[in-house]
Structure formats: C-alpha cells, structure tokens
C-alpha cells in the first residue's frame, strides 16, 4: 500500500552557492538547521530594501529499511521557488522550472535501502528570462516554502509523474438534479519487468460515508509502461456542490488489486455541479443565480513570506468567510493544495490562474514555461469543484515588446486549457488600457478587467459609464472587474478624505462608492477586491510604507480589519454586523463630527456619553449620524443594533483636542492627485507654448513605450530631460512596457493643464517635438 512520509523536519541550509554541495561526501555540519516550510526572504521580502535573489542549498539525510527495496520511492515538492534542482547521492534527478506547483522525481534507481542517502536541493529565485513570472507587483519569495514528502509505492501504482497530478481525473460529463454522469480517467504505471494484470476498483462515497457507486475493470499493463483506463459511473439524485448554500463533497477511492492484495489506493475528494455564465445575468450555479462577491488573495504573511502553514491558511479562510465573500481570485499563481481543499469544503467559487503576468520573455517567444505551468495547474487541480475558472494571464500587455507574439501565446493558452479541461470556463484579467473592442476580449470564454478609477486614474464615478459602455459595445461578452482598490493605511486619518491621502477613511469611502456602482449592475459575473490582505511588494514605497501593497481589507499580519472590511461585511454577510467606522481616528479637532456605522442590523441606536441620540430603522447598510457634538476631553460612543431579535453593540472613544495630530497625515505632498508620479519631474525654465506636433511615420514619439525610448541613447536623453531619469525608480519595471501616451491617459484634466505636472499637454508636446527628430 502507498505510504506518504512527510520529511519537513531537520534540513541543513546554506545561502552560499557551491557546485560540490550536491555531493554525498560534502560536510554540511556548520549549515543552519531548520524545518520546512522555509523562505530566505521572510524578512527582507517586504521591507522595501533589496531582497536576496539567488541560489541556496538544502540538504537532508534520508533512509528507508531494506524491506522497502522492492517498492518505488518518489519525492514530492509541493512548492519551491522558482528553479529547483534535485540530487540524490550526487546524482542529478532533474530540474523543475516554476515556483508554485507540485513536482515529483523518482529516487528509486539511486536510493540505497537500509543506508543513509543524501538529498541535496538547489533552489534559485534569481531572474530567469524564460520562467514566469518575470516581473510583477509582488515579492518573489525564495525557498522550499511548502511541504516535502516521500511516497513509497508498489511498482504497479497510480501514476505519480503526470505533471504532479493525482493520476485520477473525474470528468463531469453531464450533471443535473436527477443524475451525475461521470467519467474517470485513471493512469496506471507498471515499473516491473513483466506485463501485469490488476483489477481497478472505484468506490464512491458521499459526505456521510454512504456507498453510492462501485465499478471495477481488469487491466493489463505492459512492462515499464503507463496505461490510461476509462471508467464510467453515474450518481443518481446527486447531492450537488452548491457553493455557500451547501458544499457537498464526494470521495472516490481508486484502488489497484491483485490476488487479494491492494497494491495502491488513491483517495480523491470531488463535488458535482453544473454552471454557466450569462452576459446579462452573471453566474448560474446548479440552475440558480449566484452573485460572486469576490476578493483576491496573495499567499504571503508578515515575517513569514510564503512559508506558511495550515494554521495561516485556515485563518485566511475564516476572515474571507467573515467578510461574506462568495468567491476568491487566487492571484497570481497556483496556491497550496490545502487552500483549494478549504475552498472546496467551504463553498468558495475559485478563479485559479498561472503567473503569466506583466511581461513576456523577450528571448523565448512561444511561452513554453507559461504553457507548462498551465498544464500543471489544470492537472493538479482538476478534481476541485470550487474551481470554475482557469485564468490565463494578468496584465500581460504591460511589459511585452512583442505584441503579436504575446497575443498568439494567449490564444494558445486558451486552446491548451480547453483541451485539458473542456468542462470549465477560461478567463483572464486585462490591464485597464485594453480597448473595449480589442481582440483580447474575445480570446477566452469570459473576461475581466483590472480597473483603478479613483486611485491610479480618473475618479470612482468613472466606473459606471465605462461598465455600461463596455456592456453595450459587447452585449454577448461576460464581463467582470477582476481588480479594483485603493491603499489604506490605518495610521492615517482625515475628516475630508481624498485620493492619495492613504487614509483609512478614503480607503473605506472608495469602496463604498465602488460597491454602490457594482451592485446595481447584474451583468457583472464577478467583482474582486484587490486585495483581501496587504501583501509584500518589494518594489513599492507608498504612503511612508516600503515594500508593501496596502490595498488589503485586512493588514499584512492579519491583526486588524480595516473599516472597509466591515463595509463589505454589512453588504455581503448573512451574519449580523455592527461597526463604528473611524475608531482609530481618536483625536478630533472639530466641535461636531459625523459618525458612520456599517451594519446589516434592522435597527441601530446611537449613544454619546451615555445619552441616547437617535434610532435608525431599516436595512441601511451605511448609517451616518450627522453633526454629533463632541465634549471637551474623552467622548464615549456606543451604538446598539438589533437583528432578528438579537442585540449587538459596538463602541469607540474620541478625544476632542485643540491641535490636529500630525501623525494622522501621510508623508506625501500631492494628495488629491493620481497615484502615478513615481519619480521626480524636471521643471521648465520658459513659458514657450508648443503647438500640436504632427508625428510622421518612422520616427520616435510618445506612441512608443518607455522601454523603447530608454534603449536608444538619443531618445533616452530627451526623455530624461523632459520626464526625469525614470530608470532609477523601483516602479520602472512595471511602467516600461507602457506607451507614454497610455501613461498620460491616466492623468486627470487638472494635470493636463498644469505645465509642471508629469504629463501636461505642453510637456507631451515638447517631448514629441524633440523625439520626432530621431528616426527609427
């Protein structure tokens, strides 16, 4: 029978790269001893400094008793970032390229049973120009950051070398309320020297442990071969996987039997469901409309990076459940199998995706590694009922010089996904600048856009006309908002919140306004808050916080739920919610203030310093008690709510002060402006007005990308003179693939008229006037 042996404990680790470290005789006693999961970037990966990217070594001694010598031994890594080479007793077993999926190697031929075996693993998170992601707005933590196991199996077993999959695929051919017709594909491997006959048995059990179906087949497998066996099954009156309404799970026990012995057994949890997405009404799950109120999730945690355990996964899921979300976009890579299992059990609808993000390789134009990671993602996650959507790319248009090749790769990724799994829908997340009628909108089954009106460009209210115009232009295309959000730092506060003040109040107000727009548009098949949690993004330096993206509804350490968290909880959750916004804004200078409550209670009553002020009746979600007078000193605020006869209470304390608390102000000079001034802007010394510049063919202009302009010495000098040396800022890698005209489109009307703003009309005209003198 199959044995799974976890080997997380007692590894030796060194940051120093030396080729001989793979050798069995190498002395590693002076290395650091640690246990997995592990990353060497737990601290430096999210502090705004350069984080270590390079090759590191892990070593461990393995042994198995001589009695196991007739079995096969495999090693399984559930995640190591990003290029991993594995050696046993000095012999190179193979290399895996990609940091997020499960991969396995066969140790058997080099394993000495009954003796000590030295496993040496080199993991490298350096930049590789053909391993994705190449560049992105999150930290690429290095290390063996998920579990490592040994698998001991009979020479005849369910295949372990099929792209890290379970070797069993449960295809849902036809599912309805009356029956679920299933087709099982089972891959059987025979490592013996002779042909063998086995009996394949498939037992299905429901969530209560009741036996619901059984099938068996006799199978002959040639020596040293793999054979795929297909088995059809039907579950009558199935209990459907119905998301939050009831996430019923079945279990398939797939076993190989021979002469009364069970040679191998694989247990596969799965659920049955049917679904569709309608361009006008969104998702229908098992025939009923389901609103996908979604959040996106990165897998890292403060001071842990990606090296998190089941405990952290469980905590994340509990917070996502508490806010009332019905869907999770697992960005921007394959997540831990444990978290997909959680999504299955908790009824979360999942968008799963690969890290084909921001930039495609300039040296390898066929996207082979992206295609490999897509096959791994689909095969390893095929049986998870929570996954309804395969994501093929995220903003790949930003940094890709070879536009036609990128489009071709995306089309081919879609073809691979449909071939691997025709039962699910494909999708992708377009960067905001993609035109409504661009081909990208028609490559996948359904589509998403990352839009940040009210933060990076425009104003929040711009969401409404854009959404309606897109839907009118593309009435047969199912649209979602795959990312939206704003930075919110809980130290900063304001009575008059505005864009780029980084206050908790603007963060909450932004989400209030956006959600009001989204909930009125039933044709959106989903919306995903960016992000559920703050996360490490080493290139960032915003609002006085380095190395972090602070758009989360919950802080990086999961200790604080921001006010916006409770705004969504009031709208999304079925559980009673009552929260006073602005609690951390303690010192107030105004004599009267508004007190805002996020709640789904039927009745809310406000008390100030033990005096009842007002009662509001009705399902308001956002209740504002206006012009509340503050007394000198401390003011005790209590709000009481009633929901279905049950009483709830929240409280806060505000101090009436004479002088404002300056620590509530973010260290930025340009509040109320767009958040894209990433570098210093040269000032002009003259008032010359430039007329409109006609741009002929064959010359440089603002229609070229920053990268193209900075790669030519003549045009680089012009750009530096006009815009500043943009190559010296951390965000240049994210910006370089944008055409200057596109970056300029992010400016608002006031900036266009301000001659000293980055992308004013005059500055762009000056840039074009000088650039068109340079021929390509």
């Amino acid at each position: 029978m199959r044995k799974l042996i976890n080997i997380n404990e007692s590894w030796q680790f060194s940051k120093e790269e030396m080729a001989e470290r793979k050798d069995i005789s190498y002395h590693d006693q002076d290395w650091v001893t640690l246990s997995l999961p592990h990353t060497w970037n737990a601290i430096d990966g999210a502090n705004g400094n350069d984080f270590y990217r390079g090759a590191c070594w892990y070593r461990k001694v393995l042994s198995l008793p001589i009695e196991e010598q007739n079995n096969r031994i495999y090693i399984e890594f559930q995640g190591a970032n990003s290029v991993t080479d594995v050696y046993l007793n000095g012999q190179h077993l193979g290399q895996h390229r990609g940091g997020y999926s499960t991969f396995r190697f066969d140790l058997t031929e080099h394993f000495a049973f009954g003796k000590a075996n030295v496993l040496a693993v080199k993991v490298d998170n350096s930049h590789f120009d053909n391993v994705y992601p190449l560049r992105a707005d999150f930290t690429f933590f290095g290390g063996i950051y998920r579990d490592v196991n040994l698998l001991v199996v009979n020479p005849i077993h369910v295949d372990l070398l099929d792209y890290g999959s379970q070797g069993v695929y449960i295809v849902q051919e036809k599912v309805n309320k009356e029956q679920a017709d299933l087709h099982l594909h089972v891959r059987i491997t025979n490592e013996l020297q002779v042909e063998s006959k086995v009996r394949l048995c498939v037992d299905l059990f429901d969530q209560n442990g009741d036996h619901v179906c059984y099938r068996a087949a006799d199978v002959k497998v040639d020596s040293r071969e793999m054979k795929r066996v297909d088995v059809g099954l039907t579950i009558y009156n199935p209990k459907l996987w119905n998301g939050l309404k009831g996430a019923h799970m079945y279990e398939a026990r797939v076993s190989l039997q021979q002469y009364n012995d069970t040679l191998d057994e694989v247990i596969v949890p799965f659920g049955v469901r049917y679904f569709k997405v309608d361009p006008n009404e969104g998702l229908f799950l098992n025939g009923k409309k389901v609103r996908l109120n979604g959040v996106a999730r990165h897998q890292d945690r403060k001071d842990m990076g990606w090296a998190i355990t089941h405990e952290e996964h469980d905590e994340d899921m509990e917070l996502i459940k508490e806010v009332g979300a019905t869907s999770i976009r697992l960005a921007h890579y394959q997540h831990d199998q444990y978290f997909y299992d959680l999504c299955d059990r908790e009824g979360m609808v999942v968008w799963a995706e690969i890290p084909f993000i921001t930039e495609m390789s300039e040296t390898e134009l066929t996207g082979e590694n992206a295609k490999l990671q897509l096959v791994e993602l689909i095969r390893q996650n095929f049986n998870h009922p929570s996954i309804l959507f395969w994501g093929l790319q995220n903003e790949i248009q930003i940094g890709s010089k070879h536009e036609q090749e990128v489009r071709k790769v995306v089309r081919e990724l879609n073809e691979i996904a449909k071939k691997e799994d025709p039962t699910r829908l494909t999708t992708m997340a377009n960067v905001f600048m993609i035109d409504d009628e661009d081909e990208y909108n028609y490559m996948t089954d359904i589509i998403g856009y990352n839009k940040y009106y009210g933060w990076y460009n425009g104003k929040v209210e711009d969401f409404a006309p854009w959404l309606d115009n897109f839907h009118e232009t593309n009435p047969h295309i199912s649209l979602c908002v795959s990312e939206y959000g704003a930075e919110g730092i809980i130290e900063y506060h304001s009575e008059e919140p505005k864009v780029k003040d980084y206050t908790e109040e603007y963060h909450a107000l932004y989400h209030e306004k956006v959600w009001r727009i989204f909930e009125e548009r039933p044709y959106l098949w989903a919306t995903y808050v960016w992000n559920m949690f703050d996360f490490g993004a080493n290139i960032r330096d915003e609002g006085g916080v380095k190395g972090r993206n602070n758009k989360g509804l919950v802080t990086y350490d999961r200790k604080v739920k921001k006010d916006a968290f409770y705004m969504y909880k009031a709208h999304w959750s079925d559980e009673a919610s009552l929260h006073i916004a602005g609690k951390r804004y303690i010192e107030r200078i105004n004599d009267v203030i508004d007190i805002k409550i996020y709640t789904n209670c039927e009745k809310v009553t406000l008390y100030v310093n033990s005096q009842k002020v007002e009662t509001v009746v009705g399902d308001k979600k956002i209740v504002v008690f206006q012009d509340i007078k503050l007394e000198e000193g401390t003011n005790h605020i209590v709000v009481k709510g009633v929901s279905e006869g049950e009483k709830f209470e929240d409280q806060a304390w505000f101090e009436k002060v004479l002088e404002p608390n300056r620590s509530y102000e973010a260290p930025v000079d340009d509040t109320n402006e767009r958040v894209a001034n990433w570098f210093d802007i040269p000032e002009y010394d003259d008032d010359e007005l430039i007329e409109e510049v006609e741009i002929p063919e064959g010359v440089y202009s603002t229609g070229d990308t920053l990268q193209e302009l900075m790669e030519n010495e003549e045009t680089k000098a012009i750009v530096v003179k006009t815009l500043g040396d943009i190559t010296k800022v951390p965000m240049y890698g994210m910006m370089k693939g944008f055409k200057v005209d596109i970056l300029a489109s992010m400016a608002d009307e006031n900036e266009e008229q301000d001659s000293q703003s980055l992308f004013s009309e005059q500055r762009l005209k000056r840039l074009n006037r000088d650039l068109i003198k340079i021929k390509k």
Side-chain angles (χ1 to χ4, degrees):
M1 278 287 288
R2 176 176 299 210
K3 298 176 184 176
L4 186 146
I5 305 168
N6 181 269
I7 57 170
N8 283 355
E9 301 299 319
S10 302
W11 289 72
Q12 301 298 108
F13 172 77
S14 174
K15 268 189 176 181
E16 297 179 17
E17 155 102 86
M18 295 175 65
E20 65 268 20
R21 297 185 171 209
K22 65 180 180 293
D23 294 336
I24 188 171
S25 60
Y26 181 85
H27 294 289
D28 57 18
Q29 290 85 348
D30 59 340
W31 289 16
V32 175
T33 301
L34 54 79
S35 295
L36 306 179
H38 171 258
T39 173
W40 54 78
N41 301 124
I43 305 301
D44 71 354
N47 60 12
N49 299 314
D50 289 337
F51 68 105
Y52 179 78
R53 297 190 69 180
C56 295
W57 283 86
Y58 297 83
R59 286 167 62 93
K60 182 177 176 63
V61 175
L62 304 175
S63 62
L64 288 171
I66 195 74
E67 290 79 15
E68 300 285 8
Q69 64 183 344
N70 293 325
N71 288 322
R72 306 293 296 186
I73 314 300
Y74 294 84
I75 190 165
E76 173 186 86
F77 295 83
Q78 295 187 355
N81 192 48
S82 63
V83 173
T84 304
D85 287 274
V86 180
Y87 301 83
L88 183 70
N89 298 328
Q91 300 297 314
H92 188 232
L93 301 182
Q95 181 183 84
H96 183 262
R97 300 174 71 79
Y100 309 97
S101 54
T102 296
F103 58 95
R104 304 185 185 106
F105 292 112
D106 188 344
L107 306 183
T108 313
E109 301 304 322
H110 304 290
F111 200 94
F113 292 90
K115 299 181 180 179
N117 296 264
V118 175
L119 179 70
V121 183
K122 183 175 77 169
V123 184
D124 193 343
N125 71 333
S126 301
H127 174 81
F128 293 89
D129 64 2
N130 58 359
V131 178
Y132 292 99
L134 305 184
R135 190 185 306 277
D137 189 12
F138 58 90
T139 302
F140 302 164
F141 295 89
I144 306 176
Y145 65 93
R146 293 185 189 147
D147 289 352
V148 180
N149 300 305
L150 287 182
L151 286 161
V152 182
V153 295
N154 189 281
I156 304 173
H157 56 269
V158 176
D159 191 13
L160 286 166
L161 296 180
D162 179 35
Y163 294 93
S165 76
Q166 295 173 292
V168 177
Y169 300 89
I170 303 175
V171 182
Q172 304 187 29
E173 293 190 328
K174 180 182 178 182
V175 177
N176 54 44
K177 296 177 182 178
E178 287 72 40
Q179 66 185 65
D181 295 333
L182 309 176
H183 213 88
L184 267 69
H185 305 318
V186 184
R187 295 169 58 94
I188 302 174
T189 296
N190 177 13
E191 295 290 352
L192 296 174
Q193 299 291 339
V194 296
E195 176 189 83
S196 294
K197 178 181 176 181
V198 296
R199 188 164 180 80
L200 169 66
C201 300
V202 179
D203 292 273
L204 299 188
F205 297 85
D206 67 13
Q207 197 162 277
N208 299 321
D210 294 330
H211 204 178
V212 298
C213 193
Y214 172 76
R215 291 289 184 276
D218 292 323
V219 182
K220 287 184 179 180
V221 188
D222 291 338
S223 170
R224 301 291 184 180
E225 286 196 5
M226 188 285 299
K227 185 169 186 177
R228 185 180 118 167
V229 182
D230 296 335
V231 178
L233 306 96
T234 298
I235 303 174
Y236 294 100
N237 300 313
K239 300 173 183 176
L240 299 178
W241 188 91
N242 207 27
L244 293 180
K245 299 298 182 182
H248 187 88
M249 296 292 294
Y250 287 92
E251 183 178 274
R253 298 180 190 174
V254 179
S255 60
L256 304 180
Q257 298 177 4
Q258 187 181 68
Y259 306 121
N260 291 341
D261 289 331
T262 299
L263 306 183
D264 193 19
E265 182 180 63
V266 179
I267 297 176
V268 182
F270 71 100
V272 294
R273 73 283 185 274
Y274 60 98
F275 65 94
K276 69 173 184 178
V277 173
D278 182 87
N280 295 306
E281 299 183 74
L283 175 70
F284 286 82
L285 179 61
N286 302 324
K288 294 184 178 180
K289 181 173 171 58
V290 175
R291 179 145 200 150
L292 294 186
N293 300 328
V295 295
R297 182 213 186 215
H298 270 298
Q299 65 185 1
D300 58 318
R301 180 74 68 103
K302 185 179 186 298
D303 298 336
M304 301 179 74
W306 290 345
I308 60 176
T309 68
H310 290 183
E311 181 180 355
E312 286 74 44
H313 288 300
D314 289 338
E315 184 178 17
D316 279 7
M317 178 58 75
E318 289 304 311
L319 287 164
I320 292 170
K321 286 166 55 183
E322 182 184 348
V323 83
T326 55
S327 183
I328 309 174
R329 182 181 175 206
L330 292 176
H332 287 297
Y333 38 75
Q334 185 173 170
H335 285 232
D336 195 313
Q337 283 297 314
Y338 182 78
F339 200 79
Y340 293 112
D341 290 339
L342 279 178
C343 292
D344 289 343
R345 296 198 299 268
E346 300 295 346
M348 289 290 170
V349 171
V350 170
W351 168 334
E353 62 188 61
I354 58 172
F356 192 49
I357 173 175
T358 307
E359 180 179 342
M360 193 176 95
S361 172
E362 296 180 12
T363 60
E364 195 281 293
L365 299 178
T366 59
E368 294 308 307
N369 184 256
K371 294 171 183 176
L372 169 66
Q373 293 199 53
L374 180 61
V375 171
E376 290 179 323
L377 175 75
I378 294 176
R379 294 199 183 187
Q380 291 176 25
N381 295 282
F382 193 91
N383 299 312
H384 288 291
S386 57
I387 298 176
L388 302 189
F389 317 114
W390 298 123
L392 307 184
Q393 64 90 0
N394 179 81
E395 297 185 347
I396 195 61
Q397 306 94 349
I398 289 179
S400 303
K401 290 176 62 176
H402 303 278
E403 182 178 350
Q404 295 309 312
E405 288 83 355
V406 175
R407 291 175 181 271
K408 183 174 185 289
V409 170
V410 174
R411 287 193 295 270
E412 291 171 347
L413 287 169
N414 189 68
E415 292 170 2
I416 290 170
K418 301 310 286 187
K419 179 181 178 182
E420 289 285 329
D421 179 15
T423 72
R424 290 181 174 93
L425 299 178
T426 56
T427 189
M428 57 185 175
N430 283 334
V431 69
F432 75 95
M433 63 191 181
I434 294 299
D435 187 79
D436 292 359
E437 297 182 71
D438 193 288
E439 176 194 12
Y440 276 114
N441 293 316
Y442 316 123
M443 291 181 181
T444 50
D445 296 319
I446 54 180
I447 195 68
Y449 266 82
N450 298 345
K451 289 279 187 176
Y452 288 91
Y453 292 125
W455 190 247
Y456 292 123
N457 64 305
K459 55 187 182 299
V460 171
E461 291 76 11
D462 293 336
F463 270 107
W466 178 77
L467 289 168
D468 292 340
N469 289 338
F470 184 97
H471 186 55
E472 182 178 355
T473 301
N474 300 286
H476 303 298
I477 299 299
S478 296
L479 172 69
C480 91
V481 181
S482 39
E483 290 182 22
Y484 66 97
E487 299 270 325
I489 300 175
I490 61 174
E491 285 83 358
Y492 305 143
H493 303 282
S494 173
E495 291 282 3
E496 299 178 352
K498 58 190 70 172
V499 66
K500 207 182 178 182
D501 65 8
Y502 293 92
T503 62
E504 186 173 16
E505 285 71 31
Y506 182 78
H507 182 251
L509 180 62
Y510 169 94
H511 284 287
E512 286 180 31
K513 292 181 176 181
V514 175
W515 181 247
R516 192 175 300 123
I517 293 169
F518 290 170
E519 68 177 343
E520 293 173 350
R521 286 160 173 80
Y523 57 78
L524 290 172
W525 63 264
T527 56
Y528 292 94
V529 176
W530 190 260
N531 196 284
M532 182 64 195
F533 309 104
D534 294 344
F535 59 91
N538 207 268
I539 61 175
R540 283 185 172 260
D541 182 0
E542 286 192 72
V545 180
K546 293 184 177 181
R548 195 178 301 176
N549 188 311
N550 293 291
K551 294 186 180 69
L553 302 180
V554 180
T555 55
Y556 195 23
D557 57 8
R558 277 52 167 185
K559 299 296 184 183
V560 178
K561 303 163 191 172
K562 302 177 190 179
D563 284 345
F565 175 98
Y566 293 98
M567 193 285 299
Y568 282 109
K569 183 176 181 180
H571 284 85
W572 291 354
S573 179
D574 292 332
E575 295 183 359
S577 177
L578 182 67
H579 175 76
I580 301 172
K583 287 182 184 179
R584 282 171 281 275
Y585 186 9
I586 298 173
E587 293 93 343
R588 305 291 186 110
I589 62 171
N590 293 344
D591 293 331
V592 295
I593 65 171
D594 292 344
I595 295 179
K596 184 183 294 183
I597 311 298
Y598 296 134
T599 184
N600 54 15
C601 289
E602 302 150 7
K603 183 170 69 172
V604 177
T605 303
L606 176 69
Y607 296 84
V608 178
N609 298 322
S610 301
Q611 298 298 311
K612 179 179 177 181
V613 176
E614 185 182 355
T615 297
V616 175
V617 178
D619 188 10
K620 303 290 187 182
K621 307 301 184 188
I622 303 172
V623 176
V624 180
F625 296 99
Q626 296 181 322
D627 300 329
I628 303 302
K629 181 174 174 36
L630 296 183
E631 298 177 357
E632 295 298 326
T634 301
N635 293 264
H636 184 207
I637 310 300
V638 176
V639 61
K640 297 183 179 181
V642 177
S643 178
E644 296 182 350
E646 192 172 354
K647 297 179 180 180
F648 301 88
E649 183 176 306
D650 194 21
Q651 58 185 337
W653 289 265
F654 299 138
E655 295 282 337
K656 175 68 173 63
V657 296
L658 297 177
E659 298 294 332
N661 183 343
R662 296 301 179 190
S663 68
Y664 288 160
E665 300 174 11
V668 295
D669 298 325
D670 48 357
T671 58
N672 209 31
E673 296 181 10
R674 65 186 180 87
V675 189
N677 289 346
W678 292 308
F679 43 88
D680 294 331
I681 307 166
E683 294 186 3
Y684 287 131
D685 297 327
D686 60 71
D687 297 324
E688 177 189 2
L689 293 179
I690 309 298
E691 299 297 325
E692 199 66 44
V693 178
E694 184 177 341
I695 302 174
E697 292 185 4
V699 299
Y700 288 96
S701 72
T702 55
D704 294 306
T705 67
L706 286 174
Q707 182 176 14
E708 291 168 331
L709 295 175
M710 299 307 283
E711 287 177 345
N712 179 293
E713 289 302 318
E714 292 180 278
T715 56
K716 177 180 178 180
I718 294 169
V719 172
V720 171
K721 177 183 176 183
T722 311
L723 300 181
D725 190 354
I726 59 179
T727 62
K728 292 182 179 180
V729 299
M731 292 296 287
Y732 174 68
M734 297 293 294
M735 298 163 54
K736 67 179 185 177
F738 282 98
K739 295 177 181 179
V740 176
D741 285 339
I742 294 297
L743 286 170
S745 72
M746 298 169 68
D748 59 30
E749 294 180 3
N750 293 331
E751 288 180 277
E752 292 173 3
Q753 302 306 317
D754 180 0
S755 64
Q756 294 304 326
S757 72
L758 178 62
F759 292 120
S760 68
E761 288 184 9
Q762 284 298 303
R763 195 179 293 267
L764 292 176
K765 288 177 181 178
R766 289 171 186 271
L767 192 57
N768 274 323
R769 180 194 63 182
D770 296 338
L771 286 174
I772 63 173
K773 298 174 183 177
I774 313 298
K775 293 184 178 180
K776 291 186 174 180

